Amino acid sequence: MRKISKIEPVVPVLPVRKKVAAYARVSKDTERLAHSLSAQISYYSGLIQKNPEWEYVGVYADYGITGTSADGRPEFMRMLKDCEDGKINIVLTKSISRFARNTVDLLETVRHLKELGIEVRFEKEHINSLSEDEELMLSLLVSFAQEESRSISDNCKWGIRKRFESGEIGTANKHILGYRYDEEQRKYIIIPEEAVIVRRMFELYIDGVSLQGICDDLNDSGYRTINGCLFQEASLMVMIRNEAYAGDTLRQKSYMADPITKNKVKNKGEFPKYYMPDTHEAIIDRATYAKVQDEIAQRASLLNPTYYFTKKIKCGICGMPYTRKISKIKGKKFVHWICRTKKEPGVTCTSINFSEAELKHICAKVLDTGDFSEDEFNRRVLELTVLENGSIEFHMIGGEKTLWENLRINESRHIPTVTDCFKGKLLCGDCGLEYHRVVGAGKWVYWYCIGKKRKGISCSNRNYADYQLRNISAWELGLSEFDETEFDKQIGKITVQSDGNLLYCFYDGRTVLWER
């Protein structure tokens, strides 16, 4: 019998198509580059849809946005989100510089996509991110792109400064309160209804109204900033300082410190500034503008008075400047200089505080001026740095450094010294009686006024540890270590004053006050 076999139809297994997207970007908002972006979108749309193995997802395009940071590119971030959601298998892009000009951003993004199994293809460099040997090449190429961005930025800055030098004005702010910038005339044009607000704030400031008072007046009158917001003290201060209202232009007040991070910082002399008078019609006459600037300086001097050590002392631990602090205890006024960090909530610094009197005394010692001389201090000293151990490093004008060493009289660990030569020479400035020596807790020696033990005498003068007296005395004698023979030879007595200061009386007739 004939055998018949049935042949089943074979259904071909079609390969799973890859989901493919492209990323495009141009960094300048111009007609020419808008055409370039359109061309990129058209090119990648056609390229992906022509490939039968690919499924077209779309083209993500950022227009007029820099590539130095990923966070500022909404389409780029949307593409990454779709990658994470499994909507994309392959990303096509023209070049590394279109994808990122920041090495860290690029490598982090490519590694993240690689972990998700997503391939990035850089057309110009012929790089496939899933290849094992491509990361080093990526690092090198993106570094070149980053330096290219820096070079372009430097060239742009050079061109801008050349235009400043030639007197070409231009402006970064096309609209400030009271003015709009006219591109054809290349100057600010007054907006009358806004100029009324500007004149009002200048008048009120001259009349002595506070910044907050001016803000309240403007806000209550229904006036708003150019962004439609309420007036605030900080922005108001910027406005009344603005030379544009007097008809002048000051260029390069700030500059971009890093083209990669795009951080702008105030120009404090790193680059030249360009002042151009009478560049446009003034809203405020020069006399009024000058009065306001004088008033600003006057108010600042009252709010933030300067002292001998203002901006002269730096903390060697955290780098912050020292600031003046006034406190009152039992009716007495105490003035100290402390690290500014100690005034910040939630922040601590272990730096040592100094009384103002103590700092004057130290400066007089180091500069050898007898008493403190502000003129001599300003003439010779650039800055003081308070080191971690409480010593002070004097940075002199001219580059010389001098170290004042802390005596460490307030150590938490008491040093067990016993000194006989203080007997009969240590007197109380309150009751006139002698200080006596005692051993505390069997571990350390200190000196106290015997009046505290006498009936009918009330004395609360300060006690001193033996090692403290040795360190202070060595300092006043100009010795690196205490020497009993030298002490007996030079010092007749020490009077402990009611504030804890020590008055040293020398046999040669001199008296020297050591201040706590």
Side-chain angles (χ1 to χ4, degrees), residues 2 24 63 184 192 234 257 314 368 406 439 446 454 467 477 486:
R2 187 179 296 174
Y63 178 47
E184 291 184 3
K314 184 179 75 174
D368 195 23
N406 179 27
V439 176
Y446 69 94
R454 298 278 176 88
Y467 83 91
L477 289 166
E486 197 62 31

Side-chain angles (χ1 to χ4, degrees), residues 111-278:
R111 285 170 183 163
H112 178 54
L113 295 179
K114 194 172 184 178
E115 289 172 358
L116 299 174
I118 298 170
E119 175 186 345
V120 183
R121 296 183 184 179
F122 301 94
E123 185 180 13
K124 180 181 176 182
E125 294 85 6
H126 304 291
I127 290 178
N128 176 344
S129 66
L130 291 187
S131 299
E132 291 299 325
D133 58 349
E134 297 298 346
E135 183 160 314
L136 176 59
M137 184 61 70
L138 273 175
S139 300
L140 292 172
L141 290 174
V142 81
S143 295
F144 292 142
Q146 190 166 318
E147 285 309 308
E148 180 191 0
S149 176
R150 206 179 294 275
S151 176
I152 291 170
S153 173
D154 290 341
N155 290 339
C156 289
K157 288 176 184 176
W158 181 87
I160 291 169
R161 288 176 192 133
K162 284 298 178 184
R163 291 198 294 275
F164 290 165
E165 290 172 4
S166 65
E168 189 176 332
I169 309 302
T171 183
N173 298 324
K174 302 301 180 185
H175 184 187
I176 61 174
L177 188 69
Y179 290 110
R180 66 172 175 79
Y181 188 76
D182 188 293
E183 294 288 356
E184 291 184 3
Q185 300 184 54
R186 299 184 67 79
K187 67 178 182 180
Y188 280 123
I189 303 299
I190 292 176
I191 304 173
E193 58 272 22
E194 293 183 5
V196 171
I197 308 173
V198 174
R199 294 188 184 101
R200 177 70 178 158
M201 64 177 66
F202 273 80
E203 289 168 3
L204 290 172
Y205 197 82
I206 287 176
D207 290 342
V209 181
S210 67
L211 289 174
Q212 187 58 56
I214 298 173
C215 291
D216 293 341
D217 179 274
L218 298 177
N219 294 332
D220 292 344
S221 299
Y223 295 130
R224 295 295 181 266
T225 68
I226 57 173
N227 296 319
C229 302
L230 294 172
F231 284 91
Q232 304 290 337
E233 287 187 58
S235 58
L236 190 72
M237 175 58 80
V238 173
M239 282 188 263
I240 63 175
R241 287 180 181 274
N242 196 336
E243 68 289 334
Y245 293 125
D248 301 339
T249 300
L250 177 62
R251 300 309 308 270
Q252 203 155 260
K253 298 180 193 176
S254 60
Y255 66 96
M256 192 176 293
D258 190 335
I260 306 302
T261 62
K262 302 295 183 186
N263 286 337
K264 270 194 171 184
V265 297
K266 188 176 181 180
N267 184 0
K268 296 181 179 179
E270 293 85 352
F271 297 100
K273 295 180 183 179
Y274 302 88
Y275 198 94
M276 306 165 191
D278 302 317

Side-chain angles (χ1 to χ4, degrees), residues 432-447:
L433 296 175
E434 286 185 9
Y435 266 57
H436 281 224
R437 187 174 66 194
V438 67
V439 176
K443 296 179 180 178
W444 57 285
V445 176
Y446 69 94
W447 295 79

Side-chain angles (χ1 to χ4, degrees), residues 7 22 32 46 98 154 190 329 342 429 469 486 497 504:
I7 300 174
R32 179 178 63 82
R98 295 299 91 196
D154 290 341
I190 292 176
I329 302 174
K342 295 182 179 181
L469 290 173
E486 197 62 31
Q497 300 186 332
Y504 280 75

Side-chain angles (χ1 to χ4, degrees), residues 337-403:
W337 287 81
I338 68 172
C339 175
R340 186 177 290 170
T341 299
K342 295 182 179 181
K343 288 189 173 182
E344 300 293 331
V347 183
T348 59
C349 183
T350 58
S351 55
I352 291 176
N353 304 339
F354 287 91
S355 73
E356 190 166 79
E358 185 179 9
L359 282 172
K360 288 182 182 181
H361 184 66
I362 292 169
C363 291
K365 282 276 187 183
V366 172
L367 300 176
D368 195 23
T369 56
D371 295 324
F372 177 74
S373 168
E374 184 179 1
D375 291 340
E376 190 69 10
F377 177 74
N378 289 329
R379 188 180 71 82
R380 295 175 58 187
V381 179
L382 186 66
E383 184 180 70
L384 310 182
T385 301
V386 179
L387 305 180
E388 188 173 6
N389 64 359
S391 296
I392 301 177
E393 192 173 68
F394 282 69
H395 296 257
M396 304 296 191
I397 293 172
E400 180 189 351
K401 290 182 183 179
T402 302
L403 182 67

